Amino acid sequence: MTKIEQLRLSGQLPSPKGVALAVMDICRRDDATLDAVAKIVQSDPALSSRLLRLANAAAAGGRPVASIREAVLQLGMSTVRQLAMGFSLVDQYLRGSCPAFDYPGFWSHSLFMAVASQELGRLVRTAPLEELFACGLMAQIGRLALATAYPGDYGAVLAEPSEGLALLEREREHLGVDHTEFTAGIMADCGIPKALAEPVRYHEIPQSSGFAEGSRPYQLVHLLFHARRMADLGSSPVAERQRSISELMLLGGKIGLDATALGDVFDRVVTQWHAWAELLKVPAVQLPSFSAMSSAPVPRPEEEPAKTRTGKVVLLVDDDPTGRMVTQGLLDHLLGCTVHTAENGKEALALALEVMPQIVITDWRMPVMDGLEFCRALRATDWGQSMYVVMLTGEEDDEKIIEAFEAGVDDYLTKPIHVRALSARMRAALHYVKLLEAWESDRAQLKQFAAELAISNRRLEHSAMTDMLTELPNRRSGMEALARFWSSSRRTGRSVAALMIDVDHFKPINDRYGHAVGDRVLQCVATAIKAAARKDDSVSRIGGEEFLLVCHDADARTALLAAERLRRMIKALTINVSGVDIQATVSIGVASIEASMQMEDEMLSAADKALYVAKNAGRDRVALFANGKAICR
């Protein structure tokens, strides 16, 4: 028995109560009716108002939904069941026994994701909007379940901030299970279909889902990932917004949203989030518009939380052991930096390559290699040009200071060092480092976007030239290939031939067996033509049941023999679809380049005339058009 099954039996999992439980119970019954569900919902004014709001939001400006019965009818029994449980859990678990778990923040983020999923669903139509709302609301419910079932142990997991894979690994390490497994189990209890629950389970790390690109689950998992990132921005501190905005712009570009359109969607989500938060008594912070956040400057270090200013790597170079120890202590204990030390410029240059510091603080007067030589050597390297260098000096002579700045120093500090002066210089250094990190992050995002755009363009180009049913080149591609072969023939004097191929009696196949079977017949014929063609020949589908085979370096006789072999190959095929055996035949018209022809269209027209003759002769024939007349075999 799995952990989730054990907890379900013991009643330790988050579960609905009251009216929501009654709704879930009646929805499980075979004889359940919409009127019965609506009657139960009406007994809870809070649930009634929430379902009415959601039904009207899904209606998107249509006739207002005024009655609970109408809302239940529009949303569907399954969705009402899902939402009733979700809303019930929000009401029950705004507080809990796990001190490290932010219950109000959890529901605020989940509510934002629910609204974002619904709004993105209007653009990427992959599921009903109300179901997307329910999925967004419940997408992280496994975390609430762990906090409820294991408050002490889960508190230890949350003691070290982590997200994504790191959080899942910590959960498995401490509890033997992760929150995605609990989410899947609870969503099954809610009656959320597996087709929706599976994308929810993998939405945090979409690339691990294994869903086929372009499939509905693939679209859903990426929609939910996008909604999650919007919710992350809604709850992120000011200092972390720029990175989230860059990622959102990249995600928006994938579904055709530019910065303005993405901002409009985000701002609509925020407005609805506040309205829902008031309805559910969930906290929702006031946010600037997306445009204002995206154009805001990078916050200065003093405006950031202290935790974001720590962890910077500093290289301290000083030949005085006492001074080096004092400065290291200040940097380490007061500012939270990771400090590496060296006694002279030569030693520091080797150490800088090893540890790649973001900030360098170096004394001027040192043996072996002084601070000025060290700075020049550092700036002469590619990797040392972006480091922020502060020079320690015992004098403030203008000429000396100018010399230091010309060597590549960014700032200077007089000795002996005072705590306030060092702190002020470090704020400037940290602001530079923050700007540099933001720039590098944006550059990486742009590179990724450019790469993905190039892939997208190649896919679009492939789609524009490919018949999606048979995966053969389409008419446009076939005509371009015919033009190339014709031009090559005119230059080299080598023959070229065209075979027009038509599937016999295709309409009766569609009428008798249905279009799905007809499509399968076309796919099998296309595969046979492709297999019969030579490596450098061109095969394309140019119409409903018509194909074109262009053969290079082939005269009329060679093309006629190839057409006859192809006709026999297709006639010998047995196409089995859903237990039904179908025999297909083709008629083929053949023409080759002739001296009297001026354009490739004339050869194509000749092949088409030959095809007409073959079909009139009883079909399942090959005909050749040459010297102004058609001959049928």
Side-chain angles (χ1 to χ4, degrees), residues 412-433:
Y412 73 97
L413 189 60
T414 56
K415 299 174 72 174
I417 297 173
H418 298 286
V419 175
R420 291 183 64 190
L422 177 62
S423 181
R425 278 355 189 243
M426 286 300 293
R427 278 201 301 273
L430 289 168
H431 184 54
Y432 166 84
V433 170

mmCIF file of all heavy atoms in Angstrom, residues 412-433:
data_model
loop_
_atom_site.group_PDB
_atom_site.id
_atom_site.type_symbol
_atom_site.label_atom_id
_atom_site.label_comp_id
_atom_site.label_asym_id
_atom_site.label_seq_id
_atom_site.Cartn_x
_atom_site.Cartn_y
_atom_site.Cartn_z
ATOM 1 N N TYR A 412 37.929 53.363 -5.488
ATOM 2 C CA TYR A 412 39.064 53.260 -4.578
ATOM 3 C C TYR A 412 38.601 53.513 -3.154
ATOM 4 O O TYR A 412 37.545 54.100 -2.900
ATOM 5 C CB TYR A 412 40.168 54.240 -4.971
ATOM 6 C CG TYR A 412 39.877 55.690 -4.669
ATOM 7 C CD1 TYR A 412 40.353 56.286 -3.503
ATOM 8 C CD2 TYR A 412 39.127 56.466 -5.555
ATOM 9 C CE1 TYR A 412 40.079 57.619 -3.224
ATOM 10 C CE2 TYR A 412 38.857 57.789 -5.282
ATOM 11 C CZ TYR A 412 39.334 58.371 -4.110
ATOM 12 O OH TYR A 412 39.069 59.683 -3.825
ATOM 13 N N LEU A 413 39.415 53.081 -2.200
ATOM 14 C CA LEU A 413 39.105 53.191 -0.778
ATOM 15 C C LEU A 413 40.395 53.499 -0.045
ATOM 16 O O LEU A 413 41.410 52.819 -0.248
ATOM 17 C CB LEU A 413 38.514 51.864 -0.284
ATOM 18 C CG LEU A 413 37.914 51.797 1.115
ATOM 19 C CD1 LEU A 413 36.759 52.781 1.259
ATOM 20 C CD2 LEU A 413 37.422 50.378 1.394
ATOM 21 N N THR A 414 40.363 54.529 0.771
ATOM 22 C CA THR A 414 41.598 54.914 1.471
ATOM 23 C C THR A 414 41.795 54.089 2.731
ATOM 24 O O THR A 414 40.822 53.663 3.376
ATOM 25 C CB THR A 414 41.560 56.404 1.847
ATOM 26 O OG1 THR A 414 40.398 56.671 2.629
ATOM 27 C CG2 THR A 414 41.558 57.278 0.606
ATOM 28 N N LYS A 415 43.045 53.866 3.045
ATOM 29 C CA LYS A 415 43.409 53.132 4.252
ATOM 30 C C LYS A 415 43.766 54.134 5.355
ATOM 31 O O LYS A 415 44.268 55.206 5.054
ATOM 32 C CB LYS A 415 44.598 52.214 3.961
ATOM 33 C CG LYS A 415 44.294 51.175 2.895
ATOM 34 C CD LYS A 415 45.518 50.360 2.513
ATOM 35 C CE LYS A 415 45.911 49.389 3.595
ATOM 36 N NZ LYS A 415 47.016 48.499 3.142
ATOM 37 N N PRO A 416 43.486 53.823 6.629
ATOM 38 C CA PRO A 416 42.851 52.590 7.128
ATOM 39 C C PRO A 416 41.369 52.536 6.770
ATOM 40 O O PRO A 416 40.716 53.555 6.652
ATOM 41 C CB PRO A 416 43.054 52.670 8.634
ATOM 42 C CG PRO A 416 43.126 54.123 8.926
ATOM 43 C CD PRO A 416 43.816 54.755 7.741
ATOM 44 N N ILE A 417 40.885 51.296 6.628
ATOM 45 C CA ILE A 417 39.513 51.090 6.159
ATOM 46 C C ILE A 417 38.516 51.311 7.292
ATOM 47 O O ILE A 417 38.695 50.797 8.406
ATOM 48 C CB ILE A 417 39.356 49.665 5.595
ATOM 49 C CG1 ILE A 417 40.261 49.485 4.374
ATOM 50 C CG2 ILE A 417 37.908 49.375 5.225
ATOM 51 C CD1 ILE A 417 40.304 48.078 3.846
ATOM 52 N N HIS A 418 37.466 52.080 6.992
ATOM 53 C CA HIS A 418 36.366 52.280 7.939
ATOM 54 C C HIS A 418 35.163 51.461 7.469
ATOM 55 O O HIS A 418 34.900 51.348 6.270
ATOM 56 C CB HIS A 418 35.995 53.764 8.015
ATOM 57 C CG HIS A 418 37.117 54.620 8.515
ATOM 58 N ND1 HIS A 418 37.508 54.638 9.838
ATOM 59 C CD2 HIS A 418 37.943 55.479 7.860
ATOM 60 C CE1 HIS A 418 38.519 55.489 9.986
ATOM 61 N NE2 HIS A 418 38.812 56.004 8.785
ATOM 62 N N VAL A 419 34.430 50.950 8.440
ATOM 63 C CA VAL A 419 33.319 50.054 8.134
ATOM 64 C C VAL A 419 32.292 50.725 7.224
ATOM 65 O O VAL A 419 31.848 50.164 6.227
ATOM 66 C CB VAL A 419 32.632 49.570 9.429
ATOM 67 C CG1 VAL A 419 31.393 48.736 9.098
ATOM 68 C CG2 VAL A 419 33.596 48.768 10.275
ATOM 69 N N ARG A 420 31.908 51.969 7.536
ATOM 70 C CA ARG A 420 30.884 52.651 6.746
ATOM 71 C C ARG A 420 31.364 52.912 5.312
ATOM 72 O O ARG A 420 30.598 52.791 4.351
ATOM 73 C CB ARG A 420 30.477 53.958 7.417
ATOM 74 C CG ARG A 420 29.715 53.758 8.718
ATOM 75 C CD ARG A 420 29.280 55.081 9.305
ATOM 76 N NE ARG A 420 28.344 55.763 8.431
ATOM 77 C CZ ARG A 420 27.951 57.028 8.606
ATOM 78 N NH1 ARG A 420 28.434 57.741 9.613
ATOM 79 N NH2 ARG A 420 27.100 57.584 7.771
ATOM 80 N N ALA A 421 32.645 53.281 5.186
ATOM 81 C CA ALA A 421 33.183 53.532 3.847
ATOM 82 C C ALA A 421 33.218 52.244 3.031
ATOM 83 O O ALA A 421 32.862 52.227 1.844
ATOM 84 C CB ALA A 421 34.581 54.138 3.954
ATOM 85 N N LEU A 422 33.637 51.145 3.658
ATOM 86 C CA LEU A 422 33.677 49.854 2.962
ATOM 87 C C LEU A 422 32.257 49.428 2.555
ATOM 88 O O LEU A 422 32.031 48.962 1.428
ATOM 89 C CB LEU A 422 34.313 48.794 3.856
ATOM 90 C CG LEU A 422 34.360 47.371 3.279
ATOM 91 C CD1 LEU A 422 35.199 47.316 2.016
ATOM 92 C CD2 LEU A 422 34.889 46.380 4.325
ATOM 93 N N SER A 423 31.306 49.624 3.482
ATOM 94 C CA SER A 423 29.922 49.256 3.184
ATOM 95 C C SER A 423 29.379 50.061 2.002
ATOM 96 O O SER A 423 28.686 49.523 1.129
ATOM 97 C CB SER A 423 29.060 49.479 4.430
ATOM 98 O OG SER A 423 27.728 49.106 4.176
ATOM 99 N N ALA A 424 29.714 51.357 1.958
ATOM 100 C CA ALA A 424 29.250 52.208 0.855
ATOM 101 C C ALA A 424 29.842 51.754 -0.471
ATOM 102 O O ALA A 424 29.146 51.678 -1.491
ATOM 103 C CB ALA A 424 29.616 53.661 1.129
ATOM 104 N N ARG A 425 31.149 51.459 -0.481
ATOM 105 C CA ARG A 425 31.792 50.991 -1.721
ATOM 106 C C ARG A 425 31.206 49.652 -2.170
ATOM 107 O O ARG A 425 31.024 49.405 -3.354
ATOM 108 C CB ARG A 425 33.296 50.821 -1.490
ATOM 109 C CG ARG A 425 34.238 51.999 -1.554
ATOM 110 C CD ARG A 425 33.662 53.292 -1.970
ATOM 111 N NE ARG A 425 34.663 54.315 -2.197
ATOM 112 C CZ ARG A 425 34.741 55.438 -1.493
ATOM 113 N NH1 ARG A 425 33.896 55.681 -0.506
ATOM 114 N NH2 ARG A 425 35.653 56.344 -1.784
ATOM 115 N N MET A 426 30.910 48.787 -1.206
ATOM 116 C CA MET A 426 30.368 47.475 -1.549
ATOM 117 C C MET A 426 28.952 47.589 -2.110
ATOM 118 O O MET A 426 28.550 46.813 -2.972
ATOM 119 C CB MET A 426 30.374 46.554 -0.322
ATOM 120 C CG MET A 426 31.763 46.051 0.048
ATOM 121 S SD MET A 426 32.527 45.096 -1.301
ATOM 122 C CE MET A 426 31.469 43.663 -1.340
ATOM 123 N N ARG A 427 28.172 48.577 -1.640
ATOM 124 C CA ARG A 427 26.843 48.774 -2.218
ATOM 125 C C ARG A 427 26.941 49.116 -3.702
ATOM 126 O O ARG A 427 26.201 48.611 -4.535
ATOM 127 C CB ARG A 427 26.091 49.880 -1.464
ATOM 128 C CG ARG A 427 25.421 49.410 -0.187
ATOM 129 C CD ARG A 427 24.303 50.363 0.232
ATOM 130 N NE ARG A 427 24.782 51.718 0.455
ATOM 131 C CZ ARG A 427 25.274 52.169 1.611
ATOM 132 N NH1 ARG A 427 25.362 51.339 2.646
ATOM 133 N NH2 ARG A 427 25.688 53.419 1.744
ATOM 134 N N ALA A 428 27.903 49.989 -4.019
ATOM 135 C CA ALA A 428 28.106 50.348 -5.427
ATOM 136 C C ALA A 428 28.552 49.127 -6.231
ATOM 137 O O ALA A 428 28.087 48.887 -7.351
ATOM 138 C CB ALA A 428 29.140 51.456 -5.537
ATOM 139 N N ALA A 429 29.458 48.345 -5.647
ATOM 140 C CA ALA A 429 29.948 47.142 -6.333
ATOM 141 C C ALA A 429 28.823 46.134 -6.543
ATOM 142 O O ALA A 429 28.686 45.536 -7.615
ATOM 143 C CB ALA A 429 31.085 46.511 -5.531
ATOM 144 N N LEU A 430 27.990 45.951 -5.507
ATOM 145 C CA LEU A 430 26.898 44.988 -5.604
ATOM 146 C C LEU A 430 25.857 45.428 -6.629
ATOM 147 O O LEU A 430 25.260 44.608 -7.330
ATOM 148 C CB LEU A 430 26.239 44.798 -4.233
ATOM 149 C CG LEU A 430 27.085 44.036 -3.205
ATOM 150 C CD1 LEU A 430 26.479 44.163 -1.820
ATOM 151 C CD2 LEU A 430 27.224 42.566 -3.593
ATOM 152 N N HIS A 431 25.638 46.736 -6.722
ATOM 153 C CA HIS A 431 24.703 47.247 -7.726
ATOM 154 C C HIS A 431 25.224 46.949 -9.135
ATOM 155 O O HIS A 431 24.465 46.522 -10.020
ATOM 156 C CB HIS A 431 24.518 48.750 -7.542
ATOM 157 C CG HIS A 431 23.505 49.342 -8.479
ATOM 158 N ND1 HIS A 431 22.215 48.862 -8.594
ATOM 159 C CD2 HIS A 431 23.587 50.380 -9.360
ATOM 160 C CE1 HIS A 431 21.554 49.564 -9.490
ATOM 161 N NE2 HIS A 431 22.369 50.498 -9.974
ATOM 162 N N TYR A 432 26.512 47.127 -9.340
ATOM 163 C CA TYR A 432 27.131 46.807 -10.630
ATOM 164 C C TYR A 432 26.970 45.315 -10.938
ATOM 165 O O TYR A 432 26.599 44.927 -12.057
ATOM 166 C CB TYR A 432 28.608 47.196 -10.608
ATOM 167 C CG TYR A 432 29.410 46.626 -11.746
ATOM 168 C CD1 TYR A 432 29.448 47.252 -12.987
ATOM 169 C CD2 TYR A 432 30.124 45.434 -11.588
ATOM 170 C CE1 TYR A 432 30.179 46.715 -14.040
ATOM 171 C CE2 TYR A 432 30.853 44.891 -12.630
ATOM 172 C CZ TYR A 432 30.885 45.534 -13.848
ATOM 173 O OH TYR A 432 31.597 44.991 -14.890
ATOM 174 N N VAL A 433 27.255 44.481 -9.934
ATOM 175 C CA VAL A 433 27.158 43.032 -10.132
ATOM 176 C C VAL A 433 25.722 42.633 -10.470
ATOM 177 O O VAL A 433 25.472 41.800 -11.347
ATOM 178 C CB VAL A 433 27.653 42.278 -8.875
ATOM 179 C CG1 VAL A 433 27.327 40.787 -8.972
ATOM 180 C CG2 VAL A 433 29.148 42.481 -8.690
#
